[in-house]
Amino acid sequence: MLENSQETKTDLSELGEFGLIDHLTKSFAPKLPSTKKAIGDDAAVIDFEDNQCVVTTDLLVEGVHFDLAYMPLKHLGYKAVMVNASDVYAMNGKATQITVSIAVSNRFPVEALEELYSGIELAANIYNIDVVGGDTTSSTSGLVISITALGTAKSEEIVYRNGAKPNDLLVVSGDLGAAYMGLQVLEREKQVFKANPNSQPDLDQYSYLIERQLKPEARKDIPPLLKELGVKPTSMIDISDGLSSEVIHLCKSSKTGVNLFEEKIPLDPAVISVCEEFNIDSTTIALSGGEDYELLFTISQDDFDKIKANPNLTIIGHMTEENEGMHLITRANTKIPLIARGWNSMEKEEEEK
Ligand code: ADP
Ligand code: MG
């Protein structure tokens, strides 16, 4: 998405490092009272007053985490912010500031970085996050983006992975598997395009899936929703690798087992139909596909009535004693051990075929 999209190509050397930083960050005026000093000094200054500070970081490497053949740079910038914000929401916090560090080769013109930063800016505006710093350096080959997110929460509000208890209900926001199937559709189109560069794909019926892959939205709404419902999760994690591996993380951290019910896993109808088309089992995709950025959490049974009617939330199982193990209860009512097959392992399997 680098080659054809821009007419003008300004060489990075024309601006130099400081000119480039100024150019990319000139529109990042701070919005939040907690941002005391943003870009332009040796360090940013943040004041959370009586609240705790939550910090998380993610590194995205071209060719490993993204492919610019079908990932427009604006989407990449947006997604890079989402990946980090999602981790803050998974602590039941509010994402407030980010720093953005990039390593970039001279194969990228200034206009390409403008695209990347327009996605970062869009996400920062929609999610009410200030960009308060970063670092800029050259790379000999691909593009590397590292974002660090800061967030805030009251100490009694923070939710860790390790608080689930036997009999707690396991709950997930939204629906699962769409981002992975969106990637499958994009990969297929890339192959078609390689074979016939004049082909014009009709991707309308896949728009939800592709959007979930290219423009994921972190669940900023869930921590305030839970607060409004009067529910504090006992444990929480975001779904970046796939449901099964995240469920296993909660169980291992909390020292519990789990019964996860296949029939309860929320799937969008578009996921069901594309899985039929690709001849893949939709439960496998929900369990092992990645990048849904939904929140997975446990709540006390006492809170069941508070969440049961909420369309954003689905109860998919319950925690058990650790010695009962971690199981998937299939539609046929058989109990099979839950195994972690994140999306990386799926890709390896596909390569082996
Ligand atoms: P230093 O020499 O202290 O590393 P820099 O010259 O790299 O400072 O950065 C100057 C200012 O611009 C700092 O506030 C830094 O946080 C910010 N900055 C540098 N690169 C980026 C970037 N890619 N995105 C956002 N802010 C950046
Ligand atoms: Mg620097």
Side-chain angles (χ1 to χ4, degrees):
M1 287 289 175
L2 197 56
E3 274 67 48
N4 332 328
S5 55
Q6 290 286 342
E7 291 289 305
T8 6
K9 290 192 178 165
T10 313
D11 203 87
L12 286 180
S13 60
E14 280 184 38
L15 289 180
E17 184 190 330
F18 300 122
L20 178 67
I21 296 172
D22 282 348
H23 183 68
L24 294 177
T25 62
K26 59 178 182 271
S27 55
F28 290 135
K31 307 175 279 272
L32 302 174
S34 56
T35 308
K36 296 290 166 208
K37 180 76 198 180
I39 292 167
D41 213 310
D42 296 309
V45 180
I46 313 295
D47 181 0
F48 288 137
E49 297 176 348
D50 301 332
N51 293 330
Q52 311 249 312
C53 175
V54 177
V55 186
T56 176
T57 193
D58 270 285
L59 184 62
L60 299 177
V61 177
E62 184 179 354
V64 179
H65 302 102
F66 59 90
D67 181 343
L68 292 173
Y70 47 68
M71 186 80 177
L73 279 156
K74 183 171 179 181
H75 287 78
L76 178 63
Y78 194 91
K79 185 166 178 172
V81 179
M82 288 306 108
V83 172
N84 278 275
S86 179
D87 282 320
V88 175
Y89 304 139
M91 301 302 291
N92 209 27
K94 185 202 237 175
T96 47
Q97 286 87 12
I98 54 170
T99 62
V100 181
S101 297
I102 51 173
V104 52
S105 77
N106 54 16
R107 136 175 106 86
F108 292 86
V110 172
E111 288 75 11
L113 296 181
E114 283 171 358
E115 282 283 299
L116 178 74
Y117 267 72
S118 71
I120 292 171
E121 187 175 4
L122 182 64
N125 285 337
I126 293 176
Y127 283 74
N128 202 25
I129 292 170
D130 283 338
V131 180
V132 297
D135 202 17
T136 309
T137 181
S138 56
S139 142
T140 48
S141 53
L143 175 66
V144 177
I145 308 172
S146 171
I147 294 192
T148 297
L150 304 186
T152 178
K154 297 219 178 336
S155 63
E156 65 276 15
E157 287 173 347
I158 296 182
V159 176
Y160 298 93
R161 293 181 179 182
N162 65 4
K165 297 276 177 291
N167 299 319
D168 282 356
L169 301 173
L170 182 66
V171 185
V172 69
S173 66
D175 56 74
L176 300 174
Y180 183 82
M181 291 316 294
L183 183 65
Q184 299 313 302
V185 170
L186 290 168
E187 293 269 9
R188 182 176 69 184
E189 291 316 316
K190 183 179 162 187
Q191 298 309 325
V192 172
F193 184 79
K194 267 190 195 159
N196 175 10
N198 295 321
S199 67
Q200 282 292 335
D202 178 10
L203 297 177
D204 276 3
Q205 59 170 310
Y206 305 111
S207 58
Y208 177 65
L209 309 172
I210 292 171
E211 203 171 304
R212 292 278 283 174
Q213 169 59 222
L214 293 184
K215 193 170 178 286
E217 302 289 354
R219 296 308 302 253
K220 178 182 197 268
D221 56 321
I222 300 294
L225 172 70
L226 292 172
K227 195 171 183 175
E228 191 186 306
L229 297 172
V231 176
K232 187 190 170 195
T234 51
S235 68
M236 184 149 65
I237 189 168
D238 75 324
I239 302 188
S240 49
D241 292 336
L243 179 63
S244 62
S245 84
E246 316 301 2
V247 170
I248 291 169
H249 279 309
L250 288 186
C251 288
K252 290 203 166 148
S253 301
S254 299
K255 300 192 167 43
T256 67
V258 69
N259 285 329
L260 170 64
F261 293 88
E262 179 182 21
E263 63 178 2
K264 305 284 187 199
I265 297 174
L267 300 172
D268 188 90
V271 170
I272 296 171
S273 67
V274 80
C275 282
E276 278 168 15
E277 187 187 331
F278 278 72
N279 204 12
I280 319 181
D281 175 45
S282 55
T283 302
T284 307
I285 295 310
L287 289 174
S288 307
E291 303 196 299
D292 289 313
Y293 301 109
E294 295 295 341
L295 293 177
L296 175 73
F297 55 93
T298 53
I299 62 168
S300 158
Q301 294 253 0
D302 300 341
D303 289 332
F304 170 71
D305 284 337
K306 298 179 189 163
I307 71 140
K308 68 176 184 207
N310 198 291
N312 289 292
L313 305 175
T314 310
I315 298 168
I316 54 173
H318 58 85
M319 309 313 264
T320 60
E321 294 292 341
E322 187 175 24
N323 61 16
E324 292 177 55
M326 300 177 282
H327 292 100
L328 177 74
I329 316 295
T330 68
R331 284 197 190 86
N333 207 21
T334 50
K335 202 168 176 178
I336 57 173
L338 197 61
I339 43 166
R341 291 172 58 219
W343 107 324
N344 289 329
S345 62
M346 282 176 78
E347 285 189 338
K348 273 193 213 96
E349 265 182 26
E350 274 155 24
E351 279 159 23
E352 282 159 13
K353 270 183 211 157

